[in-house]
Amino acid sequence: MRIATVHDLPSGGAKRAFRAFARELRARGDTVDVFIPSSADETFMPSQEVADGLRVFPVVAWPSDTGGQPAGSLPLRALRYVRARKSGESAQQEIASAIDAGGYDVAFIHPSRLTQAPSVLAHLHRTPSAYYCQEPLRAHYEHTSDPLNLPWRVAMEMPRVGTVAVDRRNVLAADRVL
């Protein structure tokens, strides 16, 4: 099979899972091409090591994606998050178009660091999709009653509402959820 796989992952367990899937699919004789936005962490376990092909699509990074805490007031951080998500949405549309044009048998989709279920799912029109949902976007679905966390929660409430709607839309667009 010709498989297009997509992720926007930081270093960690989900990236390890992505690599294990890609490695196993290639060992079975499948062709695995990887499509990622530039916000994906490629310093840790580079995708190229387990891919037949790799395409990177530019996005505006959320400041915390570049290391350390993002600077600025809490509302400014929330606006930067929304800007990064908008840029990521545009890249996801480009990725979906490239996959649809590539004649792949299936798109195997892994999480996005900003929306969990990536928007590529909603923009694929000709390619069947399987979304590997390792876990929901817990930061947006689980609420804390920690009063020390209140300023951050208030600043993030606006993008959280939009992110939950986008995440749900994208999950529902998948042909299969694993």
Side-chain angles (χ1 to χ4, degrees):
M1 289 182 71
R2 289 190 65 235
I3 301 170
T5 187
V6 179
H7 79 79
D8 180 14
L9 295 169
S11 63
K15 182 82 178 266
R16 289 181 192 279
F18 154 76
R19 285 176 53 93
F21 279 120
R23 207 172 28 249
E24 181 63 26
L25 290 167
R26 287 183 75 205
R28 292 173 184 230
D30 296 317
T31 299
V32 177
D33 290 335
V34 178
F35 296 78
I36 58 173
S38 60
S39 53
D41 180 0
E42 287 297 292
T43 58
F44 174 76
M45 304 176 96
S47 299
Q48 184 63 51
E49 295 175 356
V50 295
D52 292 296
L54 174 68
R55 288 196 52 194
V56 180
F57 295 77
V59 297
V60 173
W62 187 30
S64 66
D65 290 346
T66 59
Q69 284 285 23
S73 66
L74 292 175
L76 181 58
R77 288 186 223 176
L79 290 174
R80 286 181 181 151
Y81 173 82
V82 170
R83 180 175 174 235
R85 201 175 79 208
K86 241 180 142 172
S87 175
E89 176 76 20
S90 180
Q92 295 287 320
Q93 289 175 343
E94 291 177 36
I95 291 170
S97 293
I99 291 170
D100 278 342
Y104 290 93
D105 296 308
V106 67
F108 187 29
I109 312 299
H110 293 265
S112 162
R113 67 176 63 213
L114 292 176
T115 59
Q116 197 65 11
S119 293
V120 69
L121 290 162
H123 300 297
L124 286 168
H125 301 297
R126 291 188 295 275
T127 310
S129 62
Y131 170 51
Y132 178 63
C133 180
Q134 188 167 346
E135 68 177 351
L137 186 58
R138 292 175 49 209
H140 292 308
Y141 290 105
E142 295 177 4
H143 299 285
T144 177
S145 59
D146 179 3
L148 298 175
N149 199 19
L150 185 59
W152 177 252
R153 294 232 1 201
V154 168
M156 293 306 291
E157 190 64 24
M158 177 184 65
R160 183 194 73 78
V161 171
T163 301
V164 168
V166 168
D167 182 53
R168 288 183 179 159
R169 174 201 73 184
N170 297 340
V171 170
L172 292 171
D175 293 310
R176 297 284 184 267
V177 177
L178 311 172

